[in-house]
Amino acid sequence: MPFVGLAQFFARDVPGLAAGPGGADLVQLFRCPLAHGPYLERRYLLKWRQAAQTERADHFLAAAPEVPLLPWEAELPEPCVVHPEEVDTYPWAENDTLPAALIARIDAWDDAQTAEGGRDAPSYQGALSIPPGWRVGGFPSWASTGPMDITCASCGAPMRLLLTAGGDEMDPDSHSWMPLEDRDPSLQGMASIRGGQSVAQPTRLRFGRDRDLHVFTCPTDPGHPPHWVLS
């Protein structure tokens, strides 16, 4: 069964994109359209290429490979173009991802914001530290699993986050990341989104039960197998 293409990124378009094996500057993410095993696991493929060689290829498929009839719309991506934007991000604040004293200050600030602003008050995790949706580099969000140590199975080195794939570009806890052109300034929270679901979920994809797919690679040798985490 052919894999379905989910995304591709060129190093020339994404500042800070880690180079692949042999200096590869084009990374592509694929997913098998079917689930496997008793736990309905998904199989992913990370493919590195040399952009210059790819763009000079003599043969391209006239049409994308056909996939079987799937039960859920969210199994296939909605074609769209990525417009990268650089933002500052900060680590998830839990366990030892930050000094304990700093996490305590963050928790106290969150509590004060909630007491003053109620449901739509900003929080460190949702509104300030890590944006939702698709992103390259930065820090992983650990909303579902809690922080995890990710090490390379080949050499034991701590792995770094290459990219994150998410179903939603905005949600009730992170509407502060919403682009200004998609926001109604007279409204608050999710109600302020212009364009509805097509803006909030541009790729139409889902990962697990509304989780993020984190793709980690080895900084010592990018040729080592990547590691996948749903969180």
Side-chain angles (χ1 to χ4, degrees):
M1 191 67 63
F3 277 70
V4 175
L6 300 186
Q8 69 173 12
F9 300 93
F10 293 86
R12 62 175 181 251
D13 297 326
V14 183
L17 179 65
D25 55 353
L26 167 61
V27 60
Q28 299 171 321
L29 178 64
F30 299 87
R31 180 171 71 180
C32 178
L34 302 179
H36 297 266
Y39 300 106
L40 302 180
E41 297 175 353
R42 307 309 301 266
R43 294 180 180 174
Y44 295 92
L45 174 66
L46 191 70
K47 189 73 174 179
W48 290 96
R49 303 182 189 275
Q50 298 286 348
Q53 295 178 7
T54 301
E55 292 165 342
R56 293 196 304 265
D58 296 328
H59 176 69
F60 291 95
L61 295 177
E66 293 186 6
V67 297
L69 183 64
L70 299 172
W72 306 107
E73 184 183 59
E75 297 298 316
L76 291 176
E78 180 72 20
C80 57
V81 178
V82 176
H83 299 282
E85 178 182 2
E86 287 189 84
V87 297
D88 292 327
T89 62
Y90 301 92
W92 188 260
E94 186 179 355
N95 295 351
D96 58 354
T97 58
L98 288 171
L102 182 54
I103 291 179
R105 290 178 59 191
I106 290 171
D107 290 342
W109 183 85
D110 281 345
D111 291 342
Q113 295 298 309
T114 301
E116 180 179 347
R119 180 178 178 180
D120 286 328
S123 67
Y124 172 82
Q125 305 285 48
L128 300 177
S129 61
I130 302 174
W134 292 72
R135 54 193 182 272
V136 175
F139 300 96
S141 59
W142 298 113
S144 300
T145 63
M148 302 169 62
D149 290 327
I150 308 299
T151 57
C152 178
S154 298
C155 67
M159 303 187 85
R160 64 185 172 197
L161 181 64
L162 173 69
L163 65 90
T164 297
D168 295 308
E169 292 294 317
M170 55 200 75
D171 57 47
D173 294 326
S174 58
H175 54 264
S176 65
W177 295 100
M178 191 188 315
L180 294 177
E181 59 268 26
D182 296 326
R183 183 186 304 182
D184 184 342
S186 67
L187 299 175
Q188 297 293 321
M190 291 294 282
S192 65
I193 298 176
R194 298 183 189 268
Q197 186 174 10
S198 62
V199 171
Q201 301 170 349
T203 64
R204 196 178 59 187
L205 291 168
R206 280 281 179 263
F207 298 92
R209 295 185 176 180
D210 294 331
R211 295 183 177 185
D212 287 339
L213 172 70
H214 298 310
V215 183
F216 291 87
T217 57
C218 179
T220 303
D221 186 343
H224 289 168
H227 189 85
W228 321 92
V229 175
L230 278 174
S231 177

